[in-house]
Amino acid sequence: MATIKDISQMTGFSITTVSRALNGYSDVSESTRKLIKEAAESLSYSPNGLARGLVMKETKTLGLLVSGMTYKNIDNNFVFEVLCGINDSAANSAYDLILFSTNTAKQKMKTYTQLCRERKVDGVILQGVKTDDPYLQEVLDSDIPCVLIDVPIDSKYVGFVSTNHKQSAQTAVDHLIDLGHHNIAMVNGYPEAFVSKERYEGYAEAMRNAGISLRSEYVVNGNFTEEEAQQQATELLKAYPEITAIFCASDMMALGVMKAAGELGIAVPHQLSVVGFDDIPTATYFQPPLTTIRQNMYQLGHEAANLLMGMLKSEDSPKYKILENELVIRSSTAEPGR
Amino acid sequence: MATIKDISQMTGFSITTVSRALNGYSDVSESTRKLIKEAAESLSYSPNGLARGLVMKETKTLGLLVSGMTYKNIDNNFVFEVLCGINDSAANSAYDLILFSTNTAKQKMKTYTQLCRERKVDGVILQGVKTDDPYLQEVLDSDIPCVLIDVPIDSKYVGFVSTNHKQSAQTAVDHLIDLGHHNIAMVNGYPEAFVSKERYEGYAEAMRNAGISLRSEYVVNGNFTEEEAQQQATELLKAYPEITAIFCASDMMALGVMKAAGELGIAVPHQLSVVGFDDIPTATYFQPPLTTIRQNMYQLGHEAANLLMGMLKSEDSPKYKILENELVIRSSTAEPGR
DNA sequence: TTGTATGCGTTATCAT
DNA sequence: ATGATAACGCATACAA
C-alpha cells in the first residue's frame, strides 16, 4: 500500500522526482535514482494502475467480449483456442486482458460502449457477434479501437480477422464432387452468422461450377449444435434418400449427422460421406475419423491481438487479416457407394 | 467522455448531488434525480471505473492467474472449463475478470503481489501453481484474498477448491483390483503437483488395502503430457511385462499409454487395462473408450469464484470446498487376460 | 435536500 | 537536477 508519497517522505525528495526517477526519466541524477529505487524496494512499492490510468488515459488493458464462455459450450474449445492466442500475444507485450463477464440479463443493462468505457480499456476484441447483434452497430458507432473475429467489417476504429470461409467450403465440396458425389446436402449453422453465409456461398459456388443445380431443400440449419444437426439430418436423409454426401459447417454438427446416419443404418462413408468444419481435437477420434476443414483458431486469436495492439500504436496500422484454412482428408468421405 | 462534472454544469446541480443521484442515494429529491438521470442519458455518461476504484478502494474485478493458457495446452480444455465456471459465476454478480497475461519471462519481472496490486483486483483465483512455485509463498504472505485451485491451503486470506483426488484414485485402483489385477502400475504427473501426491496416495492406499506390496519401479512420471507418458509407458511395459494394468493421472497420459501399448502389440483392455483421470470430452472417443475419473472442472471454477466473492463479502465466509469425483467405467478396463 | 471542500495516487506543466 | 502545483473523475465528511 506504499505510494510515491511514502517514498517521497522517506527519501526527502519530492513526489515529482520520485515519479520521474521510477519511470526512468533522464533528468534525475543516478545517485538520487538509486536512493529512490532502494526506498521503493524496501517499502515494496507497486504503482497504482488506477491512478496512473486516470491521468494517462491509457490502461494497458484489452477488453474481451466473448460469447460462448458458458456451460453449454464447454466441449467446444474453439473459443479457448482463440483465447490462448490472444493471451499469448498479450503476454508478449505490456497488456493484460479483461474478460467482460456478461450474461444475457446483464447485457440488457449495460451496452458494449458502457462496458468498455467504465473499464477504460484501450481496445476490444469481439468474438461470436451475430450480424443482427445490436452490439455490432454500437461497435461501428463507437470510437473504441476494436477487432472483430469472423465479422469482416473495417472502418476507422474497427478491424477484423477471419479465415477464407467461402474458399474453404468450396474446397470441401469440391472434394466431394471429385469423389463423384452429386446429391450433396449442407447442414449450416444459422443465418445470422457471417461464417454461415460465407460457407454457404462456397458450397453453392462449388455446385454451380460442377454444373449441379442447387436444391434449397438440401440445405438446413443445425444451429452449430450436435443435437439439432442430428435431428435435421435425420429428416433430411429420410426425405431425400438420394443424398450421398453432407457438408457440415462445424465438426460437432458433423458428429450429429454421423449419429443420425448411424441410427438410420446408413454407413459412413460407404453410403454417406460427411465433411466437417473446424478440425476440433476430437475430430481425429470420431468413428470414422472426420474429413474436415482445419481452422487455426489459436492463430486467429494471436493475429487479432496483434492487429489490435498495432492499431493502438499507429493510425495506419493494417486493420484486417484473413487466414487460410486447409482441407484435412480422413475417413468420413469416400466415393459414393450403393 | 462525459463526466459528472459535465452533468453538474448541464443541470446546475453540484457534482455531489449528481453523484448521489446517480448512485441511488435516498437523500435527493425524485425530481432532481430525474433531471440528472436525463442529463446523464443525453450526454451518454458512463462512470469512470478508474476514478471510482481509486477512491472506493474496490474495483469489482477478480484477477485470474492461470497457467496453461498457451499454445501447447490447446487440446486440454481442462483450463477452459474452469474458466467457464468462473466466468459464469462472475457474470451473475457485478465482477469482471482480469486475465494476467504473463509468460515465464514476464513472471520474473513482476511478482504475484505486484501484478495484483497494480491492477487493484479485489481478489484472485490461482490455477496451476506448483507446490514449489515461488508465487505460492507470496500468496500466503500477501493480504489479497485468494482462492487456489487444487492446492489445499487455507489461511486468513486464502481459500481453495479441490476434488477428492486421493479417494478418487483409490476408487480407480480398487476397480482394477476388483477386476483381478495385481501388477498395477501408475503413470503420475510430476512430483511438484499436489494432485500428483494425492493421487499417488490413493493408489498406494488401494494397493495396501488389497495386500499388494508396492513396487516403486511401477510408478513413473509422465509430466501430464501424452508424449512423455507414452515414452515412460513403453519402457515400463518392456521392463515389466507382468504389468496388466496402468492407472494414469490424466486422460492425455492414458492416451499416451494406450499408444505405447499399441506399438508394443499389447491389446487394450484384454492384455492391459488403462484408467485415466479427468474425463476430457475426447475420452469417450478413444479406442477403446476410456475408463476414467470424471472431474467437473466447470463446477470447480464456479465454486472457486463463489468462494472468493463470499470471502470478499464477509470475513467468516467458508474458505474451502472439496468436490466429489466419479468413476466412469468404459471399455479400457477388463479382467486380466493372457 | 443540496453544496463545499478534501482526498484517492499518479503524471504533467512549469518554475527554479 | 529538483520541486510546487494542478489536473484526472469520483465519493464522502461535513456544512448549510
Side-chain angles (χ1 to χ4, degrees), chain B residues 13-14 16-17 27-29 32 57:
Chain B
F13 292 102
S14 72
T16 307
T17 305
D27 59 354
V28 44
S29 80
T32 68
K57 275 132 184 32

Side-chain angles (χ1 to χ4, degrees), chain A residues 4 19 23 25 45 48 52:
Chain A
I4 51 171
S19 173
N23 288 315
Y25 279 63
Y45 165 80
N48 184 327
R52 183 178 275 172

